[in-house]
Amino acid sequence: MSATLQDHVTQALRTGTLPGLPDQLYIDGQWRPAPSGDRMEAVDPGTERPFAAIAAGAIEDVDIAVTSSERAYRDVWRHAPPSQRATILRKAALLVRARAARLAIVETLDCGKPLSESLEDVETVARLLDYYGGAADKLQGDTIPLGGNFVSYNQLEPVGVTAHIVPWNFPMFSMIRGVAPALAAGCTTVVKPAETTSITALLLADILSEAGLPPGVCNVVTGTGAAVGEPLSRHPSVRHVTFTGSVDTGRRVMRNAAQHIASVTLELGGKSPAIVLADCDLDHAVEDMLEAIYLNAGQVCSAGSRLVIERGAHAEFIEKFSARAQALTMGHGLKNPAIGAINSHRQLDKIAAAVDGARARGIRIVTGGGRATDPDSGTGWFFQPTVLDDVPADDPVVQEEIFGPVLCVQIVDTIEDALHAANGTDYGLAACIYTKDLQKALGLARDIDAGQITVNQYFAGGIYTPFGGNKRSGFGREKGLEALRNYCRVKNVTIRI
């Protein structure tokens, strides 16, 4: 740990916060209070105590922000040379890395996740800014060979003002995952962060401004979903909405956007299977699955929350996995445990209710299964790393997203059974296959109904591979070059010569 990071951690553990945190809206390149004067507390999930307060925006703030972004798009940003966009994004990446310690600590205080995970999130943000900075001056159209006396070509244009409604589990990463390609394409952005994790969005908007982003190109309006997210998604000047969250809220966002014929990208979560075939490297699968389900205390849309395992490998896998799960440390994120806090009391209640329901239905709990607290302080919102074994395919814990550190195990006898189980929910976000047999891997990858398939490593691909879901997991793709399509429209020009 660097001296700067250690100093910040020491200060945050001693005082419960960091000085100088933003507490206003960020609109048109300026800090602005919410006219209502309303405030929201930012609560540290590891202590259950507030560590900051931020402005609670409302519909009038949304209108000011969208108007600012519309003006910036019309007058400035759409005309900015792609090389200028690239330079700004890359400079922002440098600034993010320079302030990694502060950003990571604030993210841990806001989210509850271990500091090591927050530091990785910061580095991912910087890589996204670098990546889309590199793409900004390479967005090219193409020509159409009509022949004869015609010249025809397509050109890519930015869609205009874009809205980004960001989830609470990866606030920095989810914001920049959408904002960076939008800016690279020449769009302007209005960000609505989750009410429980808003502060790093404000810090990132300020960094983008310092990197040279003109006023109004990236605005951040903090507040509740009803007061800010709802009017933002239905604002007639917003041309595209990128949303990550629940299925029910995603439906509402899509209905709102449809009123003014805006396009949407929806990433709505999942119940993603990890298929462990008997011929795989079992020790590797055990270690990889620990991260797949317990990263960020299982609060990951694409978490490997279902283990679909061949019967021949089941007993050995469960013995090894449960022993490793029991050994994982829990505690306040700034102390860098293996598993941090659950983001909110509401989410903790949801996880506990799901596991209690499984227990009442007679499902075997191999390990975990209960609430916990920080062992040093006795406070915080924590849930034990949990394994539910031999769960029926129609059980609610298999069919419904829990969004916590809970692995549901489904035992199968054949590869056909494994495929049936993998496709046996209404979700289709991600899947992983553990096997040494390439033919089996390719066959399953072809037939599993999900937006992203990996083999022998659950979180493979990083920022470079398209990510998004099928079925109730939503539609549209983020990350990689594919994400740029969300923020571009095609104009065809045909000329008779």
Side-chain angles (χ1 to χ4, degrees), residues 33 139 164 185 204 261 319 326 335 352 391 411 432 445-446 451 459:
L139 284 169
H164 301 260
L204 288 170
I261 321 297
E319 180 182 2
Q326 290 169 16
K335 299 172 185 175
V391 186
I411 305 172
C432 185
R446 176 195 62 204
F459 290 120

Side-chain angles (χ1 to χ4, degrees), residues 172-448:
M172 285 190 294
F173 164 66
S174 296
M175 171 183 167
I176 297 301
R177 182 177 70 179
V179 166
L183 297 180
C187 299
T188 54
T189 59
V190 180
V191 178
K192 189 276 174 194
E195 47 262 46
T196 62
T197 55
S198 295
I199 296 178
T200 48
L202 295 165
L203 292 173
L204 288 170
D206 194 35
I207 284 174
L208 285 165
S209 178
E210 185 176 340
L213 200 70
V217 177
C218 181
N219 296 316
V220 177
V221 183
T222 54
T224 66
V228 175
E230 180 82 10
L232 180 59
S233 63
R234 67 169 184 255
H235 197 289
S237 295
V238 169
R239 302 314 314 152
H240 182 86
V241 182
T242 294
F243 170 80
T244 300
S246 71
V247 174
D248 287 342
T249 305
R251 289 191 183 104
R252 191 172 187 91
V253 166
M254 188 159 57
R255 284 196 298 267
N256 288 342
Q259 298 306 307
H260 54 282
I261 321 297
S263 56
V264 294
T265 299
L266 299 179
E267 200 260 274
L268 306 180
K271 196 71 187 177
S272 299
I275 299 175
V276 173
L277 300 183
D279 69 349
C280 77
D281 180 340
L282 203 67
D283 289 334
H284 168 73
V286 166
E287 293 302 312
D288 199 48
M289 280 300 299
L290 286 168
E291 181 181 25
I293 183 55
Y294 298 138
L295 178 74
N296 196 21
Q299 299 166 116
V300 182
C301 298
S302 58
S305 55
R306 290 192 293 138
L307 176 69
V308 178
I309 187 166
E310 279 195 297
R311 192 175 301 276
H314 170 257
E316 183 181 357
F317 184 98
I318 293 301
E319 180 182 2
K320 292 182 174 181
F321 186 89
S322 59
R324 291 284 288 112
Q326 290 169 16
L328 295 174
T329 58
M330 283 192 300
H332 193 283
L334 291 181
K335 299 172 185 175
N336 214 22
I339 298 181
I342 303 302
N343 181 251
S344 68
H345 193 278
R346 177 181 178 183
Q347 183 60 24
L348 178 61
D349 287 346
K350 178 184 174 184
I351 297 165
V355 174
D356 288 345
R359 181 184 288 111
R361 292 188 296 275
I363 291 171
R364 177 181 174 234
I365 300 176
V366 179
T367 189
R371 300 171 190 251
T373 57
D374 179 357
D376 294 332
S377 68
T379 62
W381 300 315
F382 294 84
F383 199 86
Q384 297 168 331
T386 298
V387 178
L388 306 178
D389 196 21
D390 198 8
V391 186
D394 60 352
D395 194 89
V397 295
V398 166
Q399 294 297 323
E400 298 169 9
E401 188 174 39
I402 298 173
F403 221 63
V406 181
L407 180 65
C408 301
V409 181
Q410 297 175 260
I411 305 172
V412 296
D413 291 304
T414 67
I415 194 169
E416 291 77 18
D417 293 340
L419 176 62
H420 182 73
N423 287 336
T425 75
D426 289 334
Y427 293 99
L429 186 55
C432 185
I433 304 152
Y434 296 93
T435 180
K436 295 177 182 177
D437 189 321
L438 183 59
Q439 186 173 6
K440 290 178 181 178
L442 291 174
L444 285 168
R446 176 195 62 204
D447 295 334
I448 292 173

